Every structure is written in structure tokens, then in C-alpha cells.
Amino acid sequence: MRVVSGIQPTGNLHLGNYLGAIRNWAAMQDSLEPGSEALFFLADLHALSQPHDPAGLKAATLEMTAALVACGIDPDRSVLFNQAQVPQHAELQWLLNGTARMGWLNRMTQWKDKAGKNREGQSVALFTYPVLQAADVLLYQTTHVPVGEDQKQHLELARDIAQKFNNDFCPEDAPVFTLPEPIIPAEAARIMSLRDGSAKMSKSDPSDMSRINLADDADTMAQKVKKAKTDPEPLPSEEAGLADRPEAKNLVGIYAALSGDPVAAVLAQYGGQGFGAFKPALADLLVTTLGPIRDRFVALKEDTEALDAILARGAAKARERGTPTLDAAYKALGLVRH
């Protein structure tokens, strides 16, 4: 079993990033059986599909690397790298551009959403980046890809491209590409703003009090929880009682995600109590869980030499694993290379 997953390098990481995605990667790494392997990459090439700040992209790539390691990704047990150091990704994308079809890409819902009405003004990269996503996984003979609802269509496209390439250019008993299967992860916690329970926790919110940053110290975390928006009612004893109380639902959801307990169990413990009792308990849990991760993250973030070394080592392993597939694709297409 070989699992491959990528993440966009974004800076200013917060609790929503940790509980929503990063924590699942560490759990996946730890659950693999002997002989299986996970490759995790920072999708920095994908950033070129949208306007971006070069200095910001570089800083965010290193920051995300620090976050992944701090949250439990072990570069000795998993292959951790950034796309830009593995040129085979971009090479394979070009080879697969001959197989992918305009109609397939036109149907991509993310293309429609991101391009909006100004399709003519978008970069070619925004249109073709699902082909790069296909290359990202097909390069490594990937057997399984973790996908949320928003990425299912992209994995189906990768399978379609692989199938057509194999049909068009390979003997039936010697396909170049493995067709990857989806892994549907356990539903990730959806973490909302501490100031508005109907809006997602976001680094772009102008109020720093709306989010718990991965770099916040214990006092700052506790202060933000204390000042989080709530309502005057005590917590209900059953989940149905949270239906029209977005802020209460969010805080209970954060507690449940951090503790690993279902929401019903949290309400069984705290139902009937006010936020004066619940908030300090939530702050304690947050500091206990996130504190060690935060300390490691802050230390690693400053050690750019160590981060560069981690990415370089991971990229060397990724290049080694990806080269045979790329060579086979060139050969199947009849391209003269040596």
C-alpha cells in the first residue's frame, strides 16, 4: 500500500488547519502496516495557478513543513517533500496533457468556481492543475489517496487519465500506471471562528481573537477561549439543543475534537453548566493538547537549515521512487531520451 497526499502551503496556521487536515495525516502515518509507505508533499507548484507573492510562498512552505513535523509527521517514517524539488511532477504533467481532454477539465467544478465569469482572464495553470494533481499521484504507483468531498472529482480524473494512457500506449498485461483508490478519511472537525460561529476559522479574518494560532502561547490561547463569543444559556444535555446556537456548538465541537470524545459525551459531562465552567476546561484541554505541538512548531520554524534538510532528504527519496514510472511513460510514448 502506498498513500500519497498533498497540502497547499499556507502561512499563519491555526487550530482549524490542525484539526481539519494535519492531524489526520499523522494518524494515517501511524496506522500504516509494515511494508506500506506514505508520501506527503507541499503543493507549491499548484500555488502558481493563482496570483501569489514569491517571498510569501517560500516562507509558507517552510512554515508548513515545521507544522507537519511538529504535529507528528516523522520524516524518517514518511516521505515529506515539496513538489518544486521533484521535477518529475511537472514532467509527468506535460506527458499526461496529451492524454487529458479539454472536456474533462471543463467539467471540473473547482475550475468553474475559481474561474467564475472571467475564464478568459485565468491562467492556463488554473485550468490544467487537475492534470498536475493526477501526475502527483500517478508518478508513485500510488494505491490509495485520502480525499474529501471536494477532491473526489479530481481523483476520478486521475483514474480516467491513467486508464486512457494505459489503453492507448501500453500492452494489456503491462500498464504504466496504477489506478489509485480513494480513502475517505473520518470526517474532519469543522472549526469555526471564535467571534462568529457561522464563519469558518480563517487566517484572513482581521481579528486575531477569531482564531487559535498554532504559534499562540498558553496564556494567549486561554485568553482567546475566555473571550470567545457565547450566549447566556447553559450548555444543553443533548446535541439537538445546539442546533440554533452556533457559538456553543463550535466550542463543544472543538472540545470533542481535541479530547477524541463524541459531542454527546461532552454534553453528558457539561450539560446544564454555564460557559463560566466550560471555557476554563476547554482552555486547559487546548493548552495540554496543543502546547507541546506549539513549542516544537515555534522552535522548528526558526530553524530554516533543519527544514531545508528535511525537504531535501524527502525530495531525494521522492525522485528515486518516481523516476521508474516517469521513464516508463516516456518509453511508452515513443520519446527518444538516450
Side-chain angles (χ1 to χ4, degrees), residues 48-290:
L48 308 187
S49 64
Q50 302 272 26
H52 78 285
D53 164 40
L57 175 59
K58 183 177 181 181
T61 301
L62 293 177
E63 186 177 324
M64 182 64 91
T65 306
L68 292 173
V69 174
C71 291
I73 297 298
D74 181 349
D76 293 326
R77 292 166 61 208
S78 297
V79 181
L80 176 61
F81 64 100
N82 62 307
Q83 278 173 316
Q85 293 197 60
V86 186
Q88 287 93 333
H89 284 248
E91 279 188 72
L92 185 57
Q93 182 199 15
W94 181 254
L95 301 187
L96 296 179
N97 276 340
T99 298
R101 291 295 179 257
M102 295 280 286
W104 298 353
L105 297 179
N106 260 321
R107 286 196 291 274
M108 293 288 115
T109 52
Q110 285 201 2
W111 157 248
K112 294 173 188 172
D113 293 346
K114 289 185 178 179
K117 291 182 179 173
N118 183 26
R119 292 192 179 190
E120 298 295 317
Q122 300 302 328
S123 71
V124 173
L126 183 63
F127 185 66
T128 62
Y129 90 92
V131 186
L132 179 56
Q133 281 190 321
D136 294 335
V137 296
L138 297 179
L139 181 63
Y140 299 107
Q141 300 297 329
T142 304
T143 60
H144 292 82
V145 180
V147 286
E149 280 299 322
D150 60 335
Q151 291 298 327
K152 275 184 184 172
Q153 193 185 26
H154 286 163
L155 184 61
E156 285 164 12
L157 176 77
R159 288 173 58 89
D160 287 344
I161 291 172
Q163 186 73 66
K164 181 167 171 53
F165 188 101
N166 289 341
N167 289 345
D168 289 355
F169 302 111
C170 309
E172 202 170 318
D173 59 345
V176 167
F177 296 117
T178 299
L179 271 59
E181 298 288 339
I183 297 177
I184 310 297
E187 195 174 334
R190 187 172 162 81
I191 307 302
M192 313 306 277
S193 163
L194 299 180
R195 311 299 286 167
D196 176 3
S198 63
K200 241 178 136 178
M201 188 175 284
S202 167
K203 66 171 187 171
S204 57
D205 191 310
S207 169
D208 194 57
M209 296 301 286
S210 70
R211 60 188 166 267
I212 305 286
N213 300 305
L214 221 50
D216 285 344
D217 60 28
D219 289 345
T220 306
M221 286 187 211
Q223 196 66 13
K224 286 180 175 179
V225 171
K226 184 181 174 185
K227 295 196 170 179
K229 184 180 175 185
T230 50
D231 55 49
E233 300 298 318
L235 285 171
S237 298
E238 295 182 1
E239 254 183 282
L242 294 171
D244 298 317
R245 301 175 62 186
E247 282 76 26
K249 183 179 180 181
N250 186 39
L251 294 185
V252 171
I254 291 172
Y255 191 103
L258 289 168
S259 66
D261 296 327
V263 168
V266 178
L267 293 177
Q269 185 177 354
Y270 292 100
Q273 298 185 41
F275 288 100
F278 183 68
K279 280 184 171 181
L282 175 56
D284 286 347
L285 179 61
L286 198 56
V287 169
T288 304
T289 310
L290 226 52

